[in-house]
Amino acid sequence: MDYTINQIIDYFAKASIEYVDSITNQILPHQTDGNRLTAQGVSGIVIPLSGSGYFSFNGTTYKMKEGTIVHAGPQMDLAIETIGDKPWEYAVIHYKTLRYASFDLHNKDFPIQVRQTAKIKEYVYQLIKYSAEPGSFAAFQVKVIFYNLVKEMLEQAKRHFDEKNTSIIPRAITFIQEHYADDFSIAELAEMFHIERRRFSELFEQHIGLTPIQYITEYRIRAAREMLRINQHSIAEIAEMVGYQDHFYFSRVFKKHVGMSPSQYKKYIVENCIYI
């Protein structure tokens, strides 16, 4: 199952977790590794190092490559298969959960798409290095590196999400302009583009400078002004044509934005011969 980046961040923010160990493995081209389970009592973060492969957890398959990290829970059925003619090398960072969050993902499998992996890989290699060294200071460094790795992973995932979803806004604008007279909510619009309503509104306002509601309202009023200028329809008909079933409410919204009621605006157009 896919979880939003905000849900994943919320989990790591509220759960108490502790680094356990890290392993690396390499599978040669055209080879498979399966018929076993993920580690018992710990969760794992699978990070590609080179090449690509398929990872399956409890029958759910993920295509692992640069930019794709997968989280897995304990005691899951595991199957691995390489892709292409290059060896598939990956790392697994095991951690255990000491205190569960209300929204708990420690025993779930899900992908995390990240923008860049260079710094994440660097932290992986540092974990492996300092985990092999004796002494308390090395153990302390391992703790710091582990949290830095998780932090970097979440930062890169959020950047990837933000960059990916900036393309949503032009598509959403096109939809609004083509369907502004239809009856749809902001929640339905966000769902159409597979994004949380709050995040959709944030991205929209960042991109346009208006909230989705403000943009839709202004677009409808602009269309209504044009119809009042060139059409012979009644106020009630124009209200319905631009998406307002209640023409009294339409008149209030129109006056708020234009400074005069629709009938006053229409009279102003006629008296001043404003037709072009």
Side-chain angles (χ1 to χ4, degrees), residues 14 27 50 55 99 101 123 162 180 215 218 265 267:
K14 295 178 180 177
I27 303 177
S50 64
F55 257 69
R99 186 183 71 249
Y123 284 131
D162 288 344
Y180 66 90
Y215 183 86
E218 290 198 9
Y265 182 79
K267 183 179 178 182

Side-chain angles (χ1 to χ4, degrees), residues 2 23 25 27 33 38 44-57 60-72 78-93 109-114 117 120-121 124 153:
D2 288 357
I23 63 170
N25 191 24
I27 303 177
D33 184 9
T38 59
I45 302 171
V46 185
I47 300 172
L49 300 176
S50 64
S52 58
Y54 292 111
F55 257 69
S56 295
F57 298 103
T60 301
T61 301
Y62 301 94
K63 186 176 182 180
M64 302 289 297
K65 58 181 180 178
E66 184 85 9
T68 300
I69 293 172
V70 171
H71 181 281
L78 173 64
I80 307 170
E81 180 182 350
T82 59
I83 299 174
D85 297 323
K86 294 181 179 179
W88 161 229
E89 186 177 6
Y90 61 92
V92 182
I93 311 301
D109 61 283
F110 52 88
I112 304 172
Q113 301 296 331
V114 298
T117 60
I120 295 171
K121 291 180 183 179
V124 169
M153 177 183 71

Side-chain angles (χ1 to χ4, degrees), residues 108-135:
K108 307 293 185 183
D109 61 283
F110 52 88
I112 304 172
Q113 301 296 331
V114 298
R115 183 172 178 269
Q116 296 179 353
T117 60
K119 191 70 175 178
I120 295 171
K121 291 180 183 179
E122 183 180 331
Y123 284 131
V124 169
Y125 294 130
Q126 287 179 12
L127 274 178
I128 294 169
K129 176 179 182 290
Y130 287 105
S131 293
E133 293 186 4

Side-chain angles (χ1 to χ4, degrees), residues 134-150:
S136 297
F137 190 70
F140 172 74
Q141 284 180 301
V142 165
K143 286 185 178 182
V144 174
I145 294 166
F146 170 65
Y147 278 104
N148 281 335
L149 186 152
V150 174

Side-chain angles (χ1 to χ4, degrees), residues 12 23 36 44 65 68 79 94 96 103 151 156 182 202 223:
F12 280 107
I23 63 170
R36 58 190 178 93
K65 58 181 180 178
T68 300
H94 288 129
K96 61 182 177 181
F103 182 77
K151 175 177 174 288
Q156 292 295 340
D182 296 344
E202 289 174 355

Side-chain angles (χ1 to χ4, degrees), residues 193-218:
F193 294 101
H194 309 290
I195 184 173
E196 292 175 308
R197 182 193 185 283
R198 182 181 298 178
R199 186 57 185 157
F200 173 77
S201 296
E202 289 174 355
L203 288 173
F204 196 99
E205 189 167 5
Q206 289 171 9
H207 194 85
I208 302 298
L210 299 170
T211 66
I213 287 292
Q214 289 171 334
Y215 183 86
I216 293 169
T217 301
E218 290 198 9

